[in-house]
Amino acid sequence: MKLIVAIIQPHKLGEVKEALEAVDVNLMTVSNVLGQGRQKGHTEIYRGTREAGGLLRKVRLDIAVNEDFVERTIEAIVRGAHTGEIGDGKIFVLDLKECVRIGTGEHGSRAIG
Amino acid sequence: MKLIVAIIQPHKLGEVKEALEAVDVNLMTVSNVLGQGRQKGHTEIYRGTREAGGLLRKVRLDIAVNEDFVERTIEAIVRGAHTGEIGDGKIFVLDLKECVRIGTGEHGSRAIG
Amino acid sequence: MKLIVAIIQPHKLGEVKEALEAVDVNLMTVSNVLGQGRQKGHTEIYRGTREAGGLLRKVRLDIAVNEDFVERTIEAIVRGAHTGEIGDGKIFVLDLKECVRIGTGEHGSRAIG
Ligand SMILES: Nc1ncnc2c1ncn2[C@@H]1O[C@H](COP(=O)(O)OP(=O)(O)OP(=O)(O)O)[C@@H](O)[C@H]1O
Ligand SMILES: Nc1ncnc2c1ncn2[C@@H]1O[C@H](COP(=O)(O)OP(=O)(O)OP(=O)(O)O)[C@@H](O)[C@H]1O
Ligand SMILES: Nc1ncnc2c1ncn2[C@@H]1O[C@H](COP(=O)(O)OP(=O)(O)OP(=O)(O)O)[C@@H](O)[C@H]1O
Ligand SMILES: [Mg+2]
Ligand SMILES: [Mg+2]
Ligand SMILES: [Mg+2]
């Protein structure tokens, strides 16, 4: 199991969710974060993104998946988030040791999806 | 050391904190997130939870623990968060390679608690 | 590659960012979280930090780095965040299996910085 963390442009959330649903990835956790990328918050400001203390508003997705879903999840995020301009975002992949669905008590791979 | 990440219903935060304190887990980080579970944000809406763009408000807990606290921490979260209805939440467990208490410079297992 | 997660006092964000930039760590993700440390949210309240439901406002930094940047990153965070008083914060280090720069398609170590 892996935990995939993606930081994307806020206005790309809809497209990323659609791309994920198209490959059957429907479960995720979304949060509002602030980001500093290679441009240190400078260049991107001029492209209309709201600023807070030199940092740019970004959306973070946390998506836990089984191993056979890792590649398609990453590809779907890239497909939905990519413009080719700076600031498109980053994807981080972490090992997931255990997962529990609280409602049913299921754990491991069966609890992910 | 492990990092336990739990996504729970916001109105269950108090009960989960009490269940954690009862097993001597007192340190945690809490944040407001938005979640999409198996119901894709549809069914749960009718049960009074506030909605934001098809996503449901959830609370995220990050709890770093030593190995001998992993099981009791998971069990306490389940005890506090469980109703048996859909949307009760998920628990994710990650390996933690290092921990540092900034105030004292302690690191490793001693810095966790 | 490692993912370094730091929970610091909000008023220390500027100093921590400066300390990080001084060692050439310029990329990070910042979010607002609520924390419960060893004082269970009691003592620290009297030192002027705003409270929310017994929890204290903290800032979370997520910083993905290559192995040769781990030590300097941790040291810079400590340098910027340390006062010696309680509540200075914690640093957590996780293994990072993969990293992708969405804009360019680069992955692995080259995509981090
Ligand atoms: N090494 C990193 N650690 C933590 N967060 C990062 C890191 N790199 C990028 N991020 C997060 O991802 C967001 C988007 O990054 P961004 O796409 O600007 O990456 P970049 O490396 O600057 O590439 P580009 O040149 O395409 O802009 C940042 O605002 C930040 O929130
Ligand atoms: N695979 C996942 N990856 C990331 N976040 C998830 C995942 N599954 C669930 N979550 C988060 O946990 C929250 C609660 O999930 P939820 O309890 O609805 O899980 P579920 O699998 O839909 O089970 P149930 O049928 O009991 O509702 C979601 O709203 C989402 O924020
Ligand atoms: N074990 C932990 N798991 C998750 N988050 C933690 C943990 N310990 C601390 N934190 C987070 O870090 C913040 C700052 O912690 P804090 O510096 O108060 O640590 P402490 O162990 O109480 O040390 P001190 O005695 O120096 O206050 C907490 O408010 C919480 O958000
Ligand atoms: Mg950038
Ligand atoms: Mg659900
Ligand atoms: Mg404390």
Side-chain angles (χ1 to χ4, degrees):
Chain A
M1 299 177 284
K2 291 282 187 290
L3 181 65
I4 299 174
V5 177
I7 316 289
I8 61 168
Q9 295 283 22
H11 69 273
K12 286 297 216 172
L13 176 59
E15 279 170 78
V16 171
K17 279 180 62 180
E18 275 173 40
L20 287 166
E21 281 166 28
V23 295
D24 231 31
V25 175
N26 297 302
L27 296 87
M28 70 191 81
T29 301
V30 179
S31 50
N32 293 301
V33 296
L34 297 168
Q36 182 167 291
R38 283 197 292 193
Q39 291 70 32
K40 298 193 195 175
H42 295 308
T43 316
E44 289 184 51
I45 291 164
Y46 302 105
R47 294 157 63 233
T49 315
R50 270 240 304 281
E51 183 201 8
L55 299 164
L56 300 168
R57 290 175 59 224
K58 301 284 175 181
V59 161
R60 171 178 169 146
L61 305 179
D62 284 75
I63 310 175
V65 292
N66 285 310
E67 296 296 338
D68 55 336
F69 268 71
V70 172
E71 277 319 306
R72 77 187 79 176
T73 301
I74 292 173
E75 284 163 17
I77 294 167
V78 170
R79 220 155 31 234
H82 184 270
T83 67
E85 289 183 72
I86 58 167
D88 273 355
K90 284 270 174 82
I91 302 172
F92 303 113
V93 182
L94 302 158
D95 245 334
L96 192 56
K97 291 290 171 191
E98 181 56 291
C99 175
V100 180
R101 192 185 332 263
I102 294 173
T104 61
E106 289 164 293
H107 59 100
S109 289
R110 294 189 51 205
I112 287 277
Chain B
M1 300 178 284
K2 291 282 187 288
L3 181 65
I4 298 174
V5 177
I7 315 289
I8 62 168
Q9 295 282 23
H11 69 273
K12 285 299 215 171
L13 176 59
E15 280 170 77
V16 170
K17 279 180 63 181
E18 276 174 39
L20 286 166
E21 281 166 27
V23 295
D24 231 31
V25 175
N26 296 302
L27 295 88
M28 71 191 80
T29 300
V30 180
S31 51
N32 293 302
V33 296
L34 296 168
Q36 181 166 292
R38 281 198 292 195
Q39 291 70 33
K40 298 194 195 175
H42 296 308
T43 317
E44 290 183 50
I45 291 164
Y46 302 107
R47 294 156 62 232
T49 315
R50 272 241 305 278
E51 184 200 7
L55 299 165
L56 300 167
R57 290 174 58 224
K58 302 284 174 182
V59 161
R60 171 178 170 147
L61 306 178
D62 284 74
I63 309 175
V65 293
N66 285 309
E67 297 296 338
D68 55 337
F69 268 72
V70 173
E71 277 319 305
R72 77 187 79 176
T73 300
I74 292 173
E75 285 163 17
I77 294 168
V78 170
R79 218 152 36 231
H82 185 270
T83 67
E85 290 183 72
I86 56 166
D88 273 353
K90 284 270 173 83
I91 302 173
F92 304 112
V93 182
L94 303 158
D95 246 333
L96 192 56
K97 292 291 172 189
E98 181 57 290
C99 175
V100 180
R101 192 185 331 266
I102 295 172
T104 61
E106 290 164 292
H107 60 100
S109 289
R110 295 188 52 205
I112 288 276
Chain C
M1 299 177 285
K2 291 282 186 289
L3 181 66
I4 299 175
V5 178
I7 316 289
I8 62 168
Q9 296 284 23
H11 68 273
K12 286 297 214 171
L13 176 59
E15 279 170 76
V16 169
K17 279 181 62 180
E18 275 173 41
L20 286 166
E21 280 166 29
V23 295
D24 231 30
V25 175
N26 296 302
L27 296 87
M28 70 191 80
T29 301
V30 179
S31 50
N32 293 301
V33 296
L34 296 167
Q36 181 166 291
R38 282 197 294 193
Q39 292 68 34
K40 298 192 194 173
H42 295 309
T43 316
E44 289 184 51
I45 291 164
Y46 302 106
R47 294 157 62 232
T49 315
R50 272 242 303 282
E51 183 201 9
L55 299 164
L56 300 168
R57 290 175 58 224
K58 302 282 175 183
V59 161
R60 171 178 171 147
L61 306 179
D62 284 74
I63 310 175
V65 292
N66 285 310
E67 297 296 337
D68 55 337
F69 268 71
V70 173
E71 278 318 306
R72 76 187 79 176
T73 301
I74 292 173
E75 285 163 16
I77 294 168
V78 170
R79 224 160 22 239
H82 185 270
T83 67
E85 289 184 72
I86 57 167
D88 273 353
K90 285 269 174 83
I91 302 173
F92 304 112
V93 182
L94 302 158
D95 245 334
L96 192 56
K97 292 291 172 190
E98 180 57 291
C99 175
V100 180
R101 190 185 332 262
I102 294 173
T104 61
E106 289 164 293
H107 59 101
S109 289
R110 294 189 52 206
I112 287 276

